Amino acid sequence: MRKPQFIQRDNRKRIFFLSLTIVLLLLLNFLLSFYIWFRPSHTAYEVGDRTPIPIRQKISMIAVGDALIHDGVYKDAKTNKKGEDGYFVYDFKHMFTEIKDILAPYDLKFYNQETIIGGKDIGLSSYPTFNSPDEIGLDLMDTGFNIVNLATNHTLDRGEKAILYSRKFWKGQDVLAVGSYDSPLDHDEVVIQEKNGIKYAILGYTTVTNGLKVPNGKDYLLNVYDEEKVKEDIEKLRDKVDVLLVSMHWGIEYVHEPVASQKEIASYLSSLGVDVIIGHHPHVIEPIEYIGDTLVIYSLGNFISAQEGTMKRVGMIAAFDIEKVVKGSDKKVSITNVKADLLWTHHQKYKNFKVIPFSHLTESELKDHESIYENYKKYVSNDTRVQIGFIK
């Protein structure tokens, strides 16, 4: 009996698809055999040195000059209140309200405590042998400062007792105070701090003591600059930190250009691997420059004082970035984004002291302040890498 036509058609389809499948399998088998036959017996990869990804880290720093606390300044800060110690309380905070917000974005904030904080029980005093109230230190910390130089020509003004009081005061604060110590151990235990993965330390020295001598056997009370001592101090630290800063109290008062001794010291410190030198003592501003890779700020001038004369009332505020780039085993630290601006110590016959950026001044506070700014900014720097004028 003959099969129906539709069954014959189905059988033909099955045969066609079966045949097609067999052909495809044979073709795939052929291609696979071809690949296996002609491929290399092993696959080799050349592994070269991988280029490491750079790791970039940064901290920022800002610095001002001398807190030179004449009696005109602390009398303006005196209140009618007395503290638990029975002495009058002083309030300097209002003098720095124009500065506080400027400091806020920076990691490290430096100033020079020109006059010693030696304790009220020995009596506050002014020029020529100073002793300043605790509150100036407390209020400048409240303003934001966290690094303080204590090595100045006035550190010895009121003797060892004042120095020991000063050191006790600063060791009780959350601040890095350098240049004056209360024992050999305190002197030798240089503090290394770290911020954003960058380790840093600062040393402080003075070249001048106003003819006063450190007591015999107690050199730790004041770091007086000496080449061999400085070299020894730096060599102990250099390999332990990423960036090394030195605070230098040096130069000649009321001179806008660094003298030969400053240039010689700066070159020497640079040769020892110092990254930044922050200078003070002349009470007027002196230039910023690079010596090799070392940033040198010769003098920041006065931050606040009761000295008269325009040149002594114009101070400098300087800022910069410390950048570290780590690439594999290589490390490079550089000082970049250097900028500076000018400040004015305002008062009205020794009343209402206030530190004001030139960009915030009015004519009533300082007549012809714009022309004074133009005149004094020429002392800041001739280096095109230094931006002059950054405070809005």
Side-chain angles (χ1 to χ4, degrees), residues 254-272:
Y254 318 125
V255 176
H256 280 298
E257 289 298 324
V259 295
S261 62
Q262 287 170 279
K263 292 275 191 178
E264 290 169 6
I265 291 171
S267 295
Y268 180 65
L269 294 176
S270 177
S271 73
L272 295 175

Side-chain angles (χ1 to χ4, degrees), residues 59 61 63 108 110 147 176 178 199-205 234 237-238 241-248 269 273-278 295 320 322 335:
I59 54 177
M61 185 167 185
L108 311 182
F110 171 98
I147 301 180
L176 181 55
V178 301
K199 291 182 179 180
Y200 64 91
I202 182 167
L203 300 169
Y205 303 93
I234 289 173
L237 270 176
R238 183 59 276 188
V241 296
D242 298 308
V243 63
L244 180 58
L245 304 102
V246 170
S247 168
M248 280 303 310
L269 294 176
V274 173
D275 297 290
V276 180
I277 302 167
I278 302 175
L295 179 67
F320 51 88
I322 301 166
I335 310 302

Side-chain angles (χ1 to χ4, degrees), residues 274-306:
V274 173
D275 297 290
V276 180
I277 302 167
I278 302 175
H280 30 83
H281 173 63
H283 303 303
V284 297
I285 64 172
E286 293 181 349
I288 300 172
E289 69 176 20
Y290 279 91
I291 296 178
D293 294 328
T294 305
L295 179 67
V296 184
I297 305 168
Y298 283 103
S299 176
L300 290 159
N302 286 331
F303 177 51
I304 188 168
S305 78

Side-chain angles (χ1 to χ4, degrees), residues 202-257:
I202 182 167
L203 300 169
Y205 303 93
T206 181
T207 62
V208 281
T209 64
N210 291 354
L212 300 173
K213 295 188 180 299
V214 179
N216 288 335
K218 297 184 177 181
D219 290 347
Y220 53 83
L221 292 173
L222 176 62
N223 269 1
V224 179
Y225 181 85
D226 174 82
E227 281 194 357
E228 288 305 313
K229 172 183 170 54
V230 168
K231 183 179 180 182
E232 181 181 341
D233 291 345
I234 289 173
E235 287 178 346
K236 286 179 182 177
L237 270 176
R238 183 59 276 188
D239 292 338
K240 297 177 182 178
V241 296
D242 298 308
V243 63
L244 180 58
L245 304 102
V246 170
S247 168
M248 280 303 310
H249 206 70
W250 58 1
I252 304 297
E253 292 181 335
Y254 318 125
V255 176
H256 280 298
E257 289 298 324

Side-chain angles (χ1 to χ4, degrees), residues 318-377:
F320 51 88
D321 291 335
I322 301 166
E323 296 185 356
K324 182 174 79 167
V325 178
V326 179
K327 192 174 181 181
S329 59
D330 296 330
K331 178 184 77 173
K332 180 175 176 58
V333 174
S334 54
I335 310 302
T336 64
N337 193 28
V338 183
K339 50 194 177 183
D341 219 327
L342 300 181
L343 307 173
W344 176 252
T345 297
H346 172 73
H347 63 80
Q348 299 160 315
K349 296 182 178 179
Y350 305 107
K351 299 290 184 183
N352 303 315
F353 275 86
K354 195 166 192 176
V355 181
I356 306 174
F358 265 76
S359 57
H360 295 183
L361 282 169
T362 64
E363 282 292 297
S364 62
E365 291 165 330
L366 179 61
K367 188 178 179 180
D368 297 327
H369 62 88
E370 291 182 354
S371 62
I372 292 171
Y373 180 85
E374 290 300 315
N375 183 44
Y376 279 88
K377 79 175 189 179

Side-chain angles (χ1 to χ4, degrees), residues 24-310:
L24 290 173
L25 288 172
L26 289 172
L27 179 61
L28 180 62
N29 184 62
F30 172 78
L31 292 173
L32 185 60
S33 300
F34 182 85
Y35 169 74
I36 293 172
W37 181 263
F38 288 101
R39 72 168 181 168
S41 59
H42 65 278
T43 304
Y45 298 94
E46 289 192 15
V47 180
D49 292 335
R50 293 183 179 179
T51 303
I53 299 173
I55 300 172
R56 301 180 184 276
Q57 297 159 311
K58 184 177 75 172
I59 54 177
S60 58
M61 185 167 185
I62 195 164
V64 300
D66 307 334
L68 177 56
I69 311 303
H70 296 93
D71 54 359
V73 181
Y74 66 71
K75 285 178 180 177
D76 189 44
K78 188 177 180 180
T79 72
N80 294 322
K81 299 177 182 178
K82 287 190 176 182
E84 294 179 0
D85 57 5
Y87 296 107
F88 282 104
V89 173
Y90 294 78
D91 184 358
F92 298 87
K93 290 187 182 74
H94 61 281
M95 301 180 184
F96 309 116
T97 54
E98 296 273 354
I99 302 300
K100 192 168 186 174
D101 288 345
I102 296 168
L103 300 181
Y106 292 86
D107 300 308
L108 311 182
K109 305 156 195 180
F110 171 98
Y111 86 95
N112 172 51
Q113 183 60 53
E114 180 78 19
T115 53
I116 194 165
I117 296 173
K120 294 175 184 175
D121 60 339
I122 65 171
L124 300 183
S125 55
S126 187
Y127 181 84
T129 52
F130 292 87
N131 182 35
S132 302
D134 296 17
E135 288 89 342
I136 184 61
L138 295 171
D139 290 348
L140 284 172
M141 284 185 285
D142 178 77
T143 303
F145 292 101
N146 54 21
I147 301 180
V148 185
N149 174 69
L150 305 180
T152 80
N153 57 312
H154 291 292
T155 306
L156 297 169
D157 277 2
R158 299 297 299 273
E160 183 177 352
K161 183 177 180 180
I163 294 174
L164 295 177
Y165 182 95
S166 167
R167 191 58 184 165
K168 182 179 180 181
F169 169 81
W170 288 110
K171 286 171 79 172
Q173 313 301 328
D174 185 19
V175 67
L176 181 55
V178 301
S180 178
Y181 307 93
D182 59 22
S183 68
L185 180 62
D186 185 30
H187 172 275
D188 292 342
E189 286 185 343
V190 178
V191 177
I192 296 174
Q193 296 191 337
E194 184 172 342
K195 180 75 176 180
N196 297 343
I198 298 176
K199 291 182 179 180
Y200 64 91
I202 182 167
L203 300 169
Y205 303 93
T206 181
T207 62
V208 281
T209 64
N210 291 354
L212 300 173
K213 295 188 180 299
V214 179
N216 288 335
K218 297 184 177 181
D219 290 347
Y220 53 83
L221 292 173
L222 176 62
N223 269 1
V224 179
Y225 181 85
D226 174 82
E227 281 194 357
E228 288 305 313
K229 172 183 170 54
V230 168
K231 183 179 180 182
E232 181 181 341
D233 291 345
I234 289 173
E235 287 178 346
K236 286 179 182 177
L237 270 176
R238 183 59 276 188
D239 292 338
K240 297 177 182 178
V241 296
D242 298 308
V243 63
L244 180 58
L245 304 102
V246 170
S247 168
M248 280 303 310
H249 206 70
W250 58 1
I252 304 297
E253 292 181 335
Y254 318 125
V255 176
H256 280 298
E257 289 298 324
V259 295
S261 62
Q262 287 170 279
K263 292 275 191 178
E264 290 169 6
I265 291 171
S267 295
Y268 180 65
L269 294 176
S270 177
S271 73
L272 295 175
V274 173
D275 297 290
V276 180
I277 302 167
I278 302 175
H280 30 83
H281 173 63
H283 303 303
V284 297
I285 64 172
E286 293 181 349
I288 300 172
E289 69 176 20
Y290 279 91
I291 296 178
D293 294 328
T294 305
L295 179 67
V296 184
I297 305 168
Y298 283 103
S299 176
L300 290 159
N302 286 331
F303 177 51
I304 188 168
S305 78
Q307 287 190 311
E308 284 300 340
T310 301

